[in-house]
């Protein structure tokens, strides 16, 4: 990417110094140019000094006009890539110990010869430049720097503007990926393409010890370099790993940088307790700047060949990805063909003439059979669950109005040892909305109308399918000022059902409406405070929320999309204790609570937050879910919450649900992270749901070299910490209640500068009493094999704050970083 700072130069006259410009019409021959003698310089100095003194002594001397302020202008000469139309217009400069030739015909430079033109710098013992043909010929210790790429050798012939010529017996080094090598000859075709003959190529930088050999090196009879395509193509190639030649390859391509490019990604080799030995060889297609395709063929010794792929697209108004796999004739499942696919699409188009804003959200997931989640738990994350959703939503909005059309269908993967009651499909769901916040007297209103057809398997749900219509109308009047707020609200929820078969009461339809009144209020106090040597703004924010809903008998109505709301800091301040529209709780509740925040006044960053809340019930709640008793407790459990970001290195987030009647916590969620520097992170989370589960989750990435005092180098994000370093990484989810790990991943990475090796051991639960264990090996050749493989993506998904040792999204080095 061009840096605009480098393109700015002062537009004032500049005195030329140093090299001689060849195209600015110098005297007839360069030999006639003689430096001024010391005597002449002295005479000029006296004359200049006398003139200045005379001007200062004259009282009538006019005051010179002030010069106009110099203005900045753009210059193509400092661009990362010179525009083609500017390349032929830039001047050529030469210098050396002895310069001769004929003006505008030929220039001869001997001794420390140097030629500069645009982004090209040429040095040699002897240099001739033919201005009529733009041909430069260099002999002896030739060195050319072309936009940061450096070539050295004994002899060079090159047309500068066309960058066409040859270099004999050179060694070379490329700027983009720091790759280097030697060759018998380099033929420059143009500024973007060249052919390297009888060459070697590697990114392994030489180390100073006897017997050193590069960890990997490519040798080929011919390597074609194409900068525009960012690709190298080797013919009759052999790759040597740690000094051992591999199988000869007739032809192969490789990237010239870490940017996107079609080609093979690093392969991975694994051993699985169920699938046996598996080998995955991904191939990446860079279809367009906004589209790509990755194929993941995998050979499993016990199952067969699984053909998987991922297609991604990104446009201005929409984006999406399609993933699929197909395994013909699974040998472990009696020759059954196995398959799965997942498609996610999100798009919004604004300002459509006559319509407003339209959008579509699609999430489709399907697999071949009930055992897919058990057998392919690493293939596609969305398909490893037992409840797979296929959901398509189409929306419209214009002004105060909005509408949504939705189709939702579930696929339930059944397990005889743990059956699941399938949820209801929505075939279809239609919804319209109207919202206004600018009504007279400061009123705000919202109306929502919905009709949905619910379908499932009555033999499993034990209730009839139905069509449900509901309407929600709400009106409120907020008052808000610095330091306080109050919001009274009234709403009406009305719904009607039509059942496919009679209920136990004989009804085939039902209708009811439920009104609700609520009042939300709060105060905000602020003060300047200091703690542990830091000044901040502390707030105290008490809040009270009252809700009243009269009792309406809803026990005979089946449940289609309703469940109890999770008890947390979001639901405790809401009117309904259920989610969905089949139950509206009868309530006379007062929720009281408070929070305090510590805020940096300069940046607004929140250093800490502490909160507490509790409900007070004035009457029993009669509306419940099937099988539950009325709620009679007058005081709810107490919620405590704390979030700490006191230091960028440390973060802590916790929520505790405490039961004062039993004197113990019912639920605890505590999570913390320590991330002092890149590649050093530890995350710990503890989760307790009393009587159900108790787990601890730990994730980490940390350099093992820290154990012996080697702290590494600070090379920046996505560049590792230097070669010869080991990194421990992993994640473990351990069930304290069951006394066993639920899932675990342990691995090590080694950064060898020009290669990265990984070994990972993974254990996943694939049933109530069974698990699968897998060990995986992978080797990345930096600057050759590309990144973004499945192993790196899996580490990013499983280890919080994991950072890859090489990040291909980082910009490449500037040509000015290797400027002569």
């Amino acid at each position: 990417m061009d840096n605009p700072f480098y393109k700015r130069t002062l537009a004032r006259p500049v005195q030329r110094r140093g090299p001689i410009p060849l195209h600015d019409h110098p005297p007839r021959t360069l030999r006639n140019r003689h430096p001024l003698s010391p005597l002449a310089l002295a005479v000029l100095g006296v004359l200049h000094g006398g003139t200045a003194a005379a001007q200062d002594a004259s009282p009538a001397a006019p005051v010179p006009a002030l010069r106009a302020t110099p203005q900045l202008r753009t210059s193509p000469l400092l661009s990362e890539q010179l525009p083609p139309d500017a390349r032929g217009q830039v001047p050529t400069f030469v210098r050396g110990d002895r310069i001769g030739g004929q003006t505008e015909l030929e220039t001869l430079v001997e001794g420390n010869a140097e030629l500069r033109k645009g982004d090209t710098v040429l040095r040699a013992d002897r240099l001739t430049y033919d201005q009529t043909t733009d041909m430069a010929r260099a002999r002896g210790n030739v060195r050319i720097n072309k936009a940061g790429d450096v070539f050295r050798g004994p002899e060079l012939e090159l047309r500068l503007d066309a960058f066409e010529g040859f270099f004999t017996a050179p060694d070379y080094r490329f700027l983009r990926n720091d790759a280097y090598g030697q060759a018998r000859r380099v033929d420059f075709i143009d500024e973007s393409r060249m052919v390297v003959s009888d060459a070697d190529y590697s990114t392994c930088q030489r180390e100073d010890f006897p017997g050193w050999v590069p960890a990997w090196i490519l040798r080929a009879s011919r390597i074609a370099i194409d900068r525009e395509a960012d690709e190298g193509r080797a013919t009759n190639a052999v790759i040597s790993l740690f000094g051992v030649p591999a199988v000869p390859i007739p032809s192969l391509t490789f990237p010239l940088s870490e940017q996107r490019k079609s080609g093979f990604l690093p392969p991975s080799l694994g051993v699985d307790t169920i699938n046996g030995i598996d080998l995955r060889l991904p191939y990446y297609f860079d279809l367009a700047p906004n589209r790509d395709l990755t194929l993941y063929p995998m050979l499993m010794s016990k199952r067969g060949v699984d053909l998987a792929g991922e297609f991604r697209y990104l446009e201005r108004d929409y984006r999406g990805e399609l993933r699929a796999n197909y395994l013909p004739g699974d040998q472990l499942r009696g020759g059954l063909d196995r398959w799965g696919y997942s498609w996610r699409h999100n798009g919004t188009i604004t300002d459509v003439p006559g319509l407003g804003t339209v959008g579509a959200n699609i999430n489709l997931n399907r697999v071949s059979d009930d055992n897919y989640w058990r057998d392919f738990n690493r293939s596609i994350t969305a398909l490893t669950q037992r409840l797979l959703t296929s959901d398509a939503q189409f929306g419209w909005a214009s002004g105060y109005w909005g509408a949504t059309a939705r189709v939702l269908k579930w696929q339930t993967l059944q397990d005889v040892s743990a059956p699941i009651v399938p949820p209801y499909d929505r075939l279809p769901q239609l919804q319209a909305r109207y919202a206004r916040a600018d009504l007279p007297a400061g009123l705000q209103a919202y109306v929502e109308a919905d009709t949905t057809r619910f379908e499932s398997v009555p033999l499993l749900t034990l209730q009839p399918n139905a069509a449900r219509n509901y309407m929600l109308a709400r009106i409120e009047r907020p008052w808000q000022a610095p330091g306080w707020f109050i919001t009274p609200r009234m709403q009406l929820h009305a719904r009607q059902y039509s059942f496919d078969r009679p209920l136990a009461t004989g009804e085939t339809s039902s209708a009811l409406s439920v009104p609700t009144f609520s009042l939300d209020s709060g105060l905000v106090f602020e003060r300047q405070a200091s703690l542990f040597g830091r000044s901040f703004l502390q707030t105290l924010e008490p809040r009270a929320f009252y809700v009243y809903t009269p009792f309406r008998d809803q026990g005979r109505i089946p449940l289609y999309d309703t469940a109890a709301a999770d008890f947390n800091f979001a639901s405790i301040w809401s009117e309904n204790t259920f989610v969905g529209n089949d139950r509206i709780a009868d309530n006379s509740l007062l929720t009281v609570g408070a929070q305090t925040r510590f805020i940096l006044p300069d940046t607004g960053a929140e250093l800490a937050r502490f909160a507490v809340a509790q409900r007070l019930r004035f009457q029993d709640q009669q509306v419940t879910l099937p099988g539950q008793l009325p709620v009679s407790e007058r005081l709810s459990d107490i919620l405590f919450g704390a979030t700490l970001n006191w230091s960028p290195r440390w973060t802590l987030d916790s929520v505790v649900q405490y039961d004062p009647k039993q004197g113990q916590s019912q639920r605890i969620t505590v999570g913390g992270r320590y991330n002092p520097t890149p590649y050093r992170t530890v995350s710990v989370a503890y989760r307790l749901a009393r009587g159900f589960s108790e787990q601890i989750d730990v994730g980490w990435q940390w350099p093992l070299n820290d154990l012996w005092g080697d702290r590494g180098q600070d090379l920046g994000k996505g560049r590792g910490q230097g070669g010869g370093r080991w990194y421990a990484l992993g994640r473990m989810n351990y069930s304290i209640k069951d006394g066993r790990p639920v899932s675990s991943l342990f691995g090590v990475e080694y950064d060898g500068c020009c290669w990265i090796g990984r070994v990972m051991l993974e254990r996943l639960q694939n049933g109530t009493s069974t698990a699968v264990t897998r060990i995986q090996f992978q080797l990345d050749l930096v600057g050759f094999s590309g990144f973004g493989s499945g192993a790196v993506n899996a580490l990013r998904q499983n280890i919080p704050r994991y950072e890859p040792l090489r990040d291909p999204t980082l910009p490449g080095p500037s040509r000015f970083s290797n400027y002569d």
Side-chain angles (χ1 to χ4, degrees):
M1 181 180 293
D2 295 342
N3 189 331
F5 175 79
Y6 287 147
K7 295 182 179 181
R8 313 301 288 182
T9 59
L10 289 175
R12 63 169 61 172
V14 180
Q15 294 181 347
R16 290 190 174 88
R17 302 187 181 196
I20 302 172
L22 294 183
H23 298 302
D24 280 8
H25 303 290
R28 183 173 300 275
T29 62
L30 296 175
R31 295 176 182 173
N32 292 335
R33 298 196 66 178
H34 300 287
L36 294 174
S37 65
L39 177 60
L41 289 175
V43 171
L44 288 176
V46 171
L47 291 175
H48 177 74
T51 302
Q55 290 177 348
D56 293 340
S58 174
V63 178
L66 294 176
R67 285 186 176 183
T69 303
Q71 300 296 320
L72 293 176
R73 61 179 174 84
T74 60
S75 171
L77 300 183
L78 296 179
S79 303
E80 283 296 332
Q81 292 183 348
L82 292 181
D85 55 347
R87 185 171 298 279
Q89 300 176 7
V90 297
T92 303
F93 299 88
V94 296
R95 68 179 175 185
D97 296 340
R98 295 175 299 280
I99 303 178
Q102 293 182 337
T103 304
E104 298 185 355
L105 293 177
E106 185 180 58
T107 303
L108 172 63
V109 186
E110 295 181 306
N112 297 314
E114 179 181 306
L115 180 148
R116 290 177 176 268
K117 186 171 185 179
D119 57 0
T120 303
V121 180
L122 174 61
R123 294 192 176 105
D125 294 338
R126 187 177 187 274
L127 170 66
T128 61
Y129 178 60
D130 188 336
Q131 295 168 248
T132 61
T133 61
D134 195 39
M135 175 66 75
R137 294 179 175 85
R139 302 290 186 274
N141 297 314
V142 181
R143 182 184 189 275
I144 184 171
N145 185 329
K146 169 63 175 176
D149 294 339
V150 177
F151 301 81
R152 304 171 187 264
E155 181 180 0
L156 168 72
E157 290 190 9
L158 184 68
R159 298 183 186 275
L160 295 181
D161 287 342
F163 209 77
E164 178 184 353
F166 67 89
F167 208 143
T168 60
D171 59 68
Y172 54 89
R173 182 176 293 272
F174 297 139
L175 175 66
R176 290 188 184 180
N177 57 358
D178 210 20
Y180 68 96
Q182 296 178 330
R184 176 180 59 82
R185 176 184 169 112
V186 173
D187 289 282
F188 300 103
I189 300 174
D190 54 36
E191 63 177 10
S192 300
R193 296 177 298 163
M194 69 184 75
V195 176
V196 189
S197 302
D198 296 333
D200 54 44
Y201 179 94
S202 178
T203 60
C204 301
Q205 308 307 310
R206 184 172 184 83
E207 299 181 27
D208 189 15
F209 63 85
W212 176 87
V213 293
W216 70 268
I217 188 170
L218 169 70
R219 294 184 173 89
S221 62
R222 183 179 185 271
I223 301 178
I225 303 294
D226 190 337
R227 289 296 187 191
E228 290 185 355
D230 197 31
E231 177 183 89
R233 180 177 296 273
T235 305
N236 299 325
V238 175
I239 300 176
S240 297
L241 299 175
F242 306 100
V244 179
V247 178
I249 305 174
S251 178
L252 64 88
T253 61
F254 56 91
L256 300 179
S257 68
E258 302 301 342
Q259 302 304 312
R260 292 174 27 174
K261 177 204 162 293
S262 298
F264 285 102
L265 297 177
S268 61
L269 176 66
V271 179
D272 194 308
T273 54
I274 295 180
N275 299 329
I277 300 175
D278 60 64
L279 175 64
R280 174 173 290 184
L281 186 61
Y283 191 90
Y284 178 79
F285 293 92
D286 185 14
L287 304 178
N290 60 337
R291 289 183 178 87
D292 61 16
L293 171 66
T294 307
L295 301 180
Y296 296 97
M298 182 168 65
L299 173 63
M300 294 177 283
S301 60
K302 293 184 179 181
R303 290 191 183 274
V305 178
D306 181 40
L307 305 175
E310 177 189 53
F311 172 67
R312 302 185 301 173
Y313 55 92
L314 175 63
E315 298 290 347
R316 183 177 65 90
D317 297 319
Y318 61 88
R319 64 186 303 170
E321 60 182 27
L322 173 64
R323 301 178 180 181
N325 79 300
Y326 176 70
L327 173 62
D330 186 349
Q331 300 173 16
L332 293 182
R333 292 290 180 183
L336 179 67
D337 291 345
R338 317 291 297 279
W339 54 265
Y341 69 84
S342 173
W343 179 35
R344 294 186 179 183
H345 173 93
N346 297 283
T348 301
I349 303 177
T350 59
D351 300 327
V352 178
L355 289 179
T357 300
V358 296
N361 295 315
I362 300 175
N363 181 17
L364 304 182
N365 303 278
R366 276 292 182 270
V367 297
S368 56
D369 55 88
D370 287 344
N371 290 311
Y372 186 96
W373 68 278
R374 192 192 312 272
D375 296 341
F376 299 94
N377 47 23
R378 296 179 187 85
S379 57
I380 301 173
T381 304
L383 301 181
T384 59
Q385 310 300 320
R386 293 181 59 191
L387 286 175
L388 305 181
T389 177
S390 290
D391 190 1
Q393 301 184 46
F394 303 91
W396 162 82
S398 179
Y400 303 121
W401 294 91
T404 301
R406 182 185 188 188
V407 175
L408 171 66
K409 190 171 182 60
W410 295 90
Q411 181 182 10
T412 305
L413 307 185
Q414 295 291 1
D415 185 348
V416 293
S417 61
I420 297 177
V421 176
Y424 278 89
D425 301 332
R426 305 187 185 201
L427 302 172
Q429 179 181 9
L430 303 176
Q431 187 178 99
R433 299 172 300 277
Y434 177 81
R436 290 197 64 172
D438 57 352
L439 293 175
L443 295 174
Q444 299 179 7
Y446 177 80
V447 179
E448 178 179 289
D450 182 288
T451 179
T452 303
R453 172 67 187 177
F454 292 99
E455 293 188 2
S456 187
V457 183
L459 292 178
L460 298 177
T461 62
L462 304 180
Q463 61 184 31
N465 297 333
R468 186 191 67 192
N469 306 306
Y470 80 81
M471 185 187 72
L472 172 66
R474 181 173 66 231
I475 188 167
E476 61 186 49
R477 182 21 171 123
W479 281 277
Q480 187 171 2
W484 62 275
F485 72 91
I486 183 169
T487 305
R489 173 187 296 173
M490 296 186 66
Q491 72 178 31
L492 177 67
H493 189 283
R495 61 189 187 272
Q496 184 271 337
Y497 297 85
S498 296
F499 305 111
D500 285 359
R501 56 186 176 86
L503 302 178
T505 60
E507 297 175 283
T508 58
S509 65
S510 180
L512 77 160
S513 59
V514 183
T516 298
F517 169 77
S518 65
L519 179 65
D520 195 4
S521 60
L523 300 173
V524 180
F525 301 98
E526 297 179 351
R527 69 163 186 160
Q528 300 293 330
S530 61
L531 188 64
F532 302 117
R534 304 182 72 175
S535 299
F536 47 81
L537 178 70
Q538 182 185 6
T539 70
L540 177 61
E541 305 170 43
R543 183 180 179 185
F545 177 75
Y546 176 76
V547 57
Y548 174 74
T549 303
F551 171 74
R552 298 289 187 271
D553 186 8
Q554 305 164 54
R556 67 188 186 281
I557 299 177
L559 300 180
Y560 295 100
D561 65 350
T562 300
D566 187 34
F567 189 65
N568 52 42
F569 276 102
S571 64
I572 200 172
W573 301 105
S574 64
E575 288 91 348
N576 194 11
T577 56
F578 302 106
V579 293
N581 293 280
D582 298 315
R583 293 290 186 275
I584 304 297
D586 58 317
N587 282 321
S588 181
L589 293 174
L590 175 64
T591 302
V592 293
Q595 71 174 2
T596 180
R597 296 182 295 155
F598 298 84
I599 302 172
L600 288 178
D602 296 336
T603 63
E606 189 175 279
L607 299 179
R609 178 195 296 250
F610 301 93
V612 61
Q614 187 180 25
R615 277 176 174 167
L616 172 62
R617 187 180 304 277
F618 297 104
Q619 65 183 31
D620 293 355
Q621 177 184 322
Q622 301 293 330
V623 178
T624 61
L625 299 179
Q628 294 183 354
L629 297 175
V631 181
S632 59
E633 290 85 356
R634 292 298 182 256
L635 292 176
S636 72
D637 294 347
I638 305 175
L639 286 178
F640 297 95
T643 300
L644 294 176
N645 297 289
W646 201 261
S647 166
R649 299 181 175 185
W650 293 90
T651 61
L652 176 67
D653 195 2
S654 63
V655 176
V656 176
Q657 178 183 337
Y658 178 77
D659 185 351
K661 296 181 292 297
Q662 299 186 15
Q664 63 181 1
S665 58
Q666 295 298 319
R667 295 178 61 184
I668 300 176
T669 301
V670 181
R673 182 178 64 248
Y674 178 58
N675 187 195
T677 65
Y679 308 105
R680 292 180 175 90
T681 181
V682 176
S683 301
V684 180
Y686 172 77
R687 303 179 185 90
L688 167 68
R690 193 168 300 279
F692 295 95
S693 66
E694 185 177 8
Q695 295 182 348
I696 185 169
D697 192 351
V698 183
W700 65 91
Q701 180 187 24
W702 204 273
L704 291 174
N705 295 53
D706 288 2
L707 298 176
W708 49 88
D710 180 7
R711 302 290 296 179
Q713 309 174 52
D714 185 8
L715 302 178
K717 183 177 180 179
R719 306 186 189 279
Q721 295 183 321
R725 294 182 61 77
W726 293 87
Y727 298 82
L729 48 92
R731 184 173 183 176
M732 182 179 67
N733 188 346
Y734 185 82
S735 174
I736 300 176
K737 180 177 180 293
D738 298 330
R740 64 181 183 182
V742 177
S743 61
S744 57
L745 171 66
F746 301 93
V748 292
E749 286 184 309
Y750 179 77
D751 189 344
C753 277
C754 63
W755 64 279
I756 295 175
R758 299 183 187 89
V759 180
M760 294 178 291
L761 177 65
E762 185 178 16
R763 182 184 184 275
L764 292 176
Q765 201 80 18
N766 66 342
T768 55
S769 59
T770 59
V772 56
T773 303
R774 183 173 188 253
I775 186 170
Q776 184 177 4
F777 307 89
Q778 189 173 57
L779 177 66
D780 288 345
L781 305 182
V782 177
F784 186 78
S785 60
F787 289 88
S789 62
V792 174
N793 293 334
L795 293 175
R796 281 175 165 167
Q797 294 172 3
N798 287 280
I799 301 177
R801 289 294 182 98
Y802 169 81
E803 296 183 63
L805 299 181
R806 299 294 186 275
D807 188 349
T809 63
L810 295 177
S814 167
R815 69 181 176 94
F816 297 100
S817 64
N818 191 27
Y819 183 75
D820 287 339

